[in-house]
């Protein structure tokens, strides 16, 4: 017979109040699945496991609505949840360690009477974009099988693959010998156990000999590189084939393709103001460009993924895994989220975008370069 635990016992073990557990039950977050002989709530092992996940996410700062989405994800098993939590905790630890080290350096410098520059003072905050957003990636950024199929088909018969700007390892093909390159320690720390070996390097200076790989791939990362064209040429140098998932800003009126940038976040155009043209990128490596349609239920939480699920953009943990929001700044983000929320509640968004309801995919500018 399966063992069960009373509300009081679970509260003591978890270090929370019985009132908190009753609240979680009332809102459907963690509902005990059994009753004692006396009619009191009783928790099964599965209930306790779910509670553990809820409390862990809460202590990481997630709101109740965000936690409900995270633990309610039916595609994520217990081990995947643990890996996600581990990645988030490692990111917190790494950032805390880096801040302590920066503070120690400043204390030492000031003790010696040295001038501390503004750049050095800001060092403790962390300047790397991915170090600022990387901790959220494991929560929403997963391989979408339909996008993956297009990428992997483009790799052709390549047996050795270099994944540049690899992040946490999404879209790395399991049936090929992959080597990953990722400059961010936060992202490298979140790569799951058993994933491809990962080298700390940048796209612009790949530490490999000419034609070391059958293919080099880069997925939704080129816009973060300091010199995208130089990085693409490096990929061309080290591999016979190059496959890159990127974004098209050549099409006239490209900012209006997506309702979020058209109606709520015009600053998006500024984010990509210095991004190379699609023609420039294809010319740099002799590539052709293929449209990559985004499914309405895309599993990968990239910026355009929720084009038919607008409420997702109101969730903080969803936005935190998108570099766009970090780049446009908190004021633009707050305004966009507030306006979108108002339009969803009033029905204006649904009226303005009623043509999307019948679409299964959308072309929002994602392009696959194949050379």
């Amino acid at each position: 017979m399966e063992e069960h635990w009373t509300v009081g016992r679970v509260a003591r073990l978890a270090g929370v109040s019985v009132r908190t557990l009753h609240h979680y039950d009332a809102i459907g977050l963690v509902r005990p699945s059994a009753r004692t002989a006396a009619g009191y709530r009783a928790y099964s092992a599965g209930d306790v496991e779910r509670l553990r996940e809820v409390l862990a996410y809460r202590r990481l700062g997630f709101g109740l609505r965000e936690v409900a989405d995270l633990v309610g994800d039916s595609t994520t098993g217990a081990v995947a949840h643990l890996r996600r939590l581990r990645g988030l905790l490692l990111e917190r630890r790494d950032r805390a360690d880096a801040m302590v080290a920066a503070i120690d350096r400043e204390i030492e410098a000031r003790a010696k009477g040295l001038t501390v520059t503004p750049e050095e003072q800001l060092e403790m905050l962390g300047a790397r974009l991915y170090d600022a957003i990387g901790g959220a990636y494991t929560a929403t950024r997963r391989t979408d099988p339909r996008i993956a199929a297009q990428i992997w088909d483009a790799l052709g018969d390549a047996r050795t693959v270099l994944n540049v700007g690899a992040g946490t390892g999404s879209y790395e093909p399991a049936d090929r010998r992959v080597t990953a390159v990722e400059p961010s320690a936060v992202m490298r720390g979140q790569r799951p156990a058993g994933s491809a070996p990962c080298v700390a390097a940048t796209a612009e200076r790949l530490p490999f000999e000419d034609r070391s790989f059958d293919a080099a791939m880069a997925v939704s990362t080129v816009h973060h590189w300091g010199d995208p064209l130089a990085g693409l040429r490096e990929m061309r140098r080290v591999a016979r084939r190059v496959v890159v998932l990127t974004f098209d800003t050549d099409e006239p009126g490209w900012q209006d393709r997506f309702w979020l940038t058209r109606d709520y976040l015009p600053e998006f155009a500024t984010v990509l103001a210095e991004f190379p043209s699609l023609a420039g990128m294809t010319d740099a490596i002799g590539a052709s460009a293929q449209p990559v349609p985004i499914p309405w239920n895309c599993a990968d939480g990239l910026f355009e993924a929720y084009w038919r699920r607008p409420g997702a953009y109101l969730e903080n943990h969803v936005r935190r895994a998108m570099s766009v929001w970090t780049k446009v700044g908190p004021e633009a983000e707050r305004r966009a989220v507030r306006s979108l929320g108002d339009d969803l509640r009033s029905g204006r968004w649904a009226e303005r975008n009623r043509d999307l309801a019948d679409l299964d995919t959308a072309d929002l500018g994602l392009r696959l370069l194949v050379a």
Side-chain angles (χ1 to χ4, degrees):
M1 183 175 178
E2 184 179 10
E3 185 179 3
H4 288 82
W5 290 264
T6 64
V7 172
R9 182 183 177 191
V10 170
R12 288 192 299 274
L13 289 172
V16 298
S17 67
V18 171
R19 183 178 179 179
T20 295
L21 296 183
H22 286 169
H23 178 60
Y24 288 171
D25 183 7
I27 64 176
L29 192 57
V30 183
R31 283 184 169 153
S33 56
R35 294 273 175 173
T36 67
Y40 295 107
R41 297 176 178 88
Y43 291 77
S44 68
D47 300 333
V48 172
E49 181 178 284
R50 181 179 175 95
L51 175 64
R52 187 272 312 278
E53 292 166 358
V54 167
L55 293 176
Y57 285 123
R58 287 290 286 156
R59 288 166 187 173
L60 283 167
F62 288 92
L64 287 176
R65 286 181 60 191
E66 297 170 328
V67 172
D69 288 341
L70 288 167
V71 301
D73 183 357
S74 61
T75 66
T76 303
V79 173
H81 274 298
L82 289 172
R83 285 175 174 165
R84 177 189 294 171
L85 287 167
R86 183 177 185 275
L88 291 167
L89 288 166
L90 286 174
E91 187 268 343
R92 295 284 179 95
R93 184 194 67 187
D94 288 347
R95 291 187 66 79
D97 288 347
M99 290 180 70
V100 169
I103 289 170
D104 287 344
R105 286 193 294 273
E106 183 167 340
I107 289 173
E108 183 179 358
R110 289 182 183 274
K112 294 178 179 178
L114 301 176
T115 299
V116 181
T117 68
E119 290 83 3
E120 291 167 334
Q121 292 174 29
L122 292 173
E123 182 184 0
M124 73 174 67
L125 300 178
R128 297 190 62 85
L129 174 62
Y130 269 132
D131 285 352
I133 65 174
Y137 263 57
T138 50
T140 62
R141 301 303 293 270
R142 299 184 289 273
T143 298
D144 183 90
R146 292 147 295 190
I147 295 176
Q150 191 169 349
I151 294 171
W152 295 343
D153 183 63
L155 293 174
D157 60 358
R159 301 306 307 161
T160 58
V161 177
L162 179 68
N163 187 14
V164 182
T168 58
S170 296
Y171 299 101
E172 291 178 358
D175 60 342
R176 325 211 187 193
R177 194 162 71 251
V178 177
T179 300
V181 166
E182 172 53 52
S184 169
V186 170
M187 301 297 275
R188 293 197 304 272
Q190 294 181 84
R191 292 176 63 82
S195 60
C198 191
V199 178
T202 63
E204 296 89 343
R205 299 186 66 180
L206 296 174
F208 306 105
E209 300 292 333
D210 295 358
R211 298 300 177 98
S212 298
F213 300 91
D214 294 334
M217 59 182 279
V219 178
S220 298
T221 178
V222 174
H223 53 289
H224 296 302
W225 298 353
D227 188 340
L229 295 183
L232 292 172
R233 293 189 185 103
E234 272 287 89
M235 293 178 67
R236 174 84 280 186
R237 177 183 66 79
V238 302
R240 292 188 296 103
R241 177 181 289 262
V242 175
V243 177
V244 177
L245 183 64
T246 186
F247 193 79
D248 178 12
T249 59
D250 288 4
E251 180 184 345
W254 64 268
Q255 302 96 326
D256 296 334
R257 281 184 303 226
F258 184 23
W259 56 261
L260 182 58
T261 56
R262 181 192 67 210
D263 300 329
Y264 304 100
L265 199 66
E267 292 85 353
F268 181 69
T270 304
V271 169
L272 294 180
E274 298 182 3
F275 190 58
S277 66
L278 187 70
M281 289 188 287
T282 57
D283 289 347
I285 55 175
S288 59
Q290 308 171 5
V292 179
I294 302 176
W296 77 269
N297 57 349
C298 184
D300 184 355
L302 46 81
F303 181 59
E304 301 86 0
Y306 305 96
W307 59 269
R308 219 181 83 179
R309 297 170 288 169
Y313 293 103
L314 304 182
E315 302 293 340
N316 184 62
H317 79 277
V318 170
R319 299 195 306 277
R320 293 287 65 80
M322 301 170 180
S323 61
V324 168
W325 300 102
T326 302
K327 289 188 173 183
V328 299
E331 184 176 345
E333 179 177 1
R334 284 192 294 268
R335 187 209 63 241
V337 171
R338 183 174 60 251
S339 297
L340 174 58
D342 290 344
D343 284 357
L344 288 174
R345 285 186 290 272
S346 70
R348 284 192 297 270
W349 184 92
E351 175 63 23
R352 191 182 295 143
N353 298 285
R354 59 184 179 274
D355 58 318
L356 301 182
D358 297 326
L359 298 180
D360 292 327
T361 63
D363 180 0
L364 298 176
L366 283 190
R367 297 292 181 264
L368 194 65
L369 309 186
V370 182

